[in-house]
Structures are given as structure tokens and as C-alpha cells.
Amino acid sequence: MAAPGIVPPVRLQPPCGLLHAWVDGVASEVVTVRDRALHYGDAAFTTIRVHAQQPCWIDDHLQRLLLACSGLRLPQPDWAALRAEIDRAAAGAGTAIVKVLLTRGDGARGYAPHGASGRRLTMSYAASVIEIDPYVNGARLRFADLVLSEQPLLAGLKHANRLEQVMARAEWNDSSITEALLCDAAGRVISATAANVFARFGTELHTPAVDRAGVAGVCRQRVLQSPPAGFSVTVADMPRAQLFAADELFLSNAVRGIVPVRALGDHCYDSNRAARLLMQALHPALGLPTPE
């Protein structure tokens, strides 16, 4: 036990696969128990895929962190130092995952955030083995029982309070189910637990708005900016029942890329035309499968 009056550090205990960790640029797996991210989730983060020693879509991820710092009123990090740390985390790794967590830093007990100076954590992980089947044959989804709460001030931001997603992911242990879709109190589909969702109706791609709940994903933004040739894309409310009228569903995530959907509950989808075009356009840069 720590001596009286001495505040012990907290050793980071991430899942197996951690390769390296830096705290404010110093190699370390230790943060103080005073960090507000531990107490309140008072932080923002992003998760970056590394392919061929390059952090994929790095500018998009840094822009996401900038928007989160502004929206959450977090102290701005040294952006040049952070970029160098991300590059260092990616160097030497053919394929890996880099996670950046920007916390408000240390604070006294209580919610008032005054005086915190900020802290940046950069971690690299071994990339999980890619399962080819979901990319080729499509993933199976379910609806989560959990209902997402609405908070427009936090909506769209990748803040560190992910308890809703943790609780939703704890709802199932069936390894044949890849993801669960989350709805708000009005029955509108918002996202999956760790991905954005798109539905195709003819040549139109629809994705839910994330101005009330949910996260504006980096891969989602790529699809919005560059839909496949011959398709348009629209951000719109997506009632739960509407998904069963779609010609196609697919998920988007900056680490997993585009994942076509084979089934939602008992409802099956026969087409993955738009998803395949997007995989062919986006996956080579991510080092992910590109089924023909």
C-alpha cells in the first residue's frame, strides 16, 4: 500500500496486445489517479489503423480530435508533438492500431474542470487477425435493447464516456453476431456499438444523423465525401422499420473499414453492391480485404 499522503499511480491495464504506450511523449504505462478521464470520462479519443507503417487517414483523425477538444472545451495538446508520437507509434509496425486519448488532465475532486492542464496518451496495439468471412459473405446484426440517450452538446464527438456502448456490447455472447444496432428513444437507428451504419435504397445511400446522439466516424465521413460512382448519399433520420425495406446495409469503421451486412435478426439482405465498391475504393489504403 502507498504511504499516507502519497497518491499512487494507476498502471494502464489495456487488453492483451499492447505494444507501446506514451504519456505526454514519455514511454510509460502509468497515469495518476487524479486524471479526470478516470473519474468522469473527461476526455476524447480516436483509434487509427496503421498499414505499412503509415497511420491511415491521419489528417481526418487529427481533425476529429480538434473538434472534440473544441466541443468538450479540453486543453489543446501540442499538435506537432502528438503527430510525431503517432508516427513513432506506427513506425516499425506493418499493421497495428494506434489509440490517442486526450484527457483534461489532473483535477481536484468534483465536477468543476478549472485548472486542469491536459494530458495526452498514445498507445499502439497489435492488430487483430482479420476474419475474411464478414467482408465476403456479410455480417450478422441484431438490435440492442439499450436505448441511446440524447445530448446534442456531445453528439458526434468521440468522447471517452462509452458506458452505453459497453452495456450494449454486453448484451450478447453469440460469436456469430458481429454487431448490434442502437436506436434512440424515438425508435430512430443511430449507429452500431462501434460503427456507423448505411442503408441503400436503389441508388441512394442513407446514414443516420448524429446531431442528437452517436459518433461521427472517420470512415463515415469518407463515404459522405466520396460515395461510389452511380450512388448518392444522404444524412437522414432512419426509423427502425425502414431498415427492413433497404436493398442493402453496411457498416463503416476506421479500423474495420466497410463491412457488408448479411442479416439483421431474421431479415436477410441479398445485395452488397455499394459495399463492394466502397471496399475496393477504401480498403487498399487500410490493408483490408477487397473482395471482387
Side-chain angles (χ1 to χ4, degrees):
M1 296 179 62
I6 302 298
V7 178
V10 172
R11 184 168 297 278
L12 302 177
Q13 295 291 344
C16 181
L18 179 70
L19 300 174
H20 304 285
W22 294 268
V23 179
D24 288 332
V26 178
S28 177
E29 296 181 27
V30 176
V31 294
T32 170
V33 295
R34 292 193 179 97
D35 195 293
R36 291 176 59 86
L38 296 174
H39 294 266
Y40 311 117
D42 194 0
F45 73 99
T46 196
T47 308
I48 307 166
R49 186 171 185 84
V50 174
H51 174 58
Q53 304 186 50
Q54 298 298 314
C56 303
W57 300 342
I58 180 61
D59 291 338
D60 302 61
H61 285 283
L62 291 175
Q63 179 65 20
R64 159 191 266 187
L65 288 172
L66 177 63
L67 291 174
C69 285
S70 176
L72 299 173
R73 301 178 185 174
L74 294 173
Q76 295 282 329
D78 181 332
W79 293 105
L82 176 59
R83 174 62 191 265
E85 289 161 17
I86 295 170
D87 289 337
R88 177 171 56 182
T95 301
I97 306 299
V98 172
K99 181 174 181 177
V100 176
L101 183 69
L102 300 179
T103 84
R104 197 176 301 277
D106 298 351
R109 194 186 69 82
Y111 293 135
H114 308 303
S117 59
R119 176 173 286 119
R120 64 183 187 274
L121 308 178
T122 306
M123 296 153 277
S124 65
Y125 295 84
S128 301
V129 175
I130 296 174
E131 296 183 11
I132 301 298
D133 183 70
Y135 295 101
V136 175
N137 298 313
R140 289 183 59 206
L141 310 185
R142 67 186 293 273
F143 277 111
D145 297 326
L146 180 136
V147 175
L148 282 177
S149 57
E150 293 187 13
Q151 176 45 265
L153 288 177
L154 298 178
L157 305 179
K158 195 69 174 284
H159 57 78
N161 192 323
R162 299 285 107 197
L163 279 177
E164 290 181 318
Q165 287 71 25
V166 170
M167 293 175 68
R169 183 57 188 87
E171 289 180 8
W172 84 94
N173 291 312
D174 185 347
S175 61
S176 69
I177 302 295
T178 301
E179 261 286 14
L181 296 182
L182 301 169
C183 298
D184 63 14
R188 295 173 293 224
V189 177
I190 301 297
S191 67
T193 64
N196 291 111
V197 60
F198 286 81
R200 178 175 67 81
F201 303 89
T203 59
E204 295 183 1
L205 303 180
H206 291 192
T207 192
V210 290
D211 56 352
R212 296 180 295 263
V215 174
V218 166
C219 191
R220 172 183 181 269
Q221 186 61 30
R222 289 268 167 160
V223 178
L224 289 174
Q225 292 172 344
S226 300
F231 294 88
S232 61
V233 62
T234 300
V235 176
D237 285 347
M238 191 178 291
R240 177 171 170 153
Q242 191 178 64
L243 268 61
F244 299 115
D247 298 304
E248 174 183 1
L249 289 186
F250 61 87
L251 304 177
S252 66
N253 174 279
V255 170
R256 292 181 291 175
I258 302 296
V259 179
V261 173
R262 176 172 75 245
L264 173 57
D266 294 329
H267 184 83
C268 295
Y269 298 89
D270 297 326
S271 175
N272 56 14
R273 183 157 54 103
R276 284 181 177 271
L277 290 173
L278 285 165
M279 284 190 281
Q280 292 165 10
L282 299 176
H283 284 196
L286 299 172
L288 290 170
T290 55
E292 296 296 330

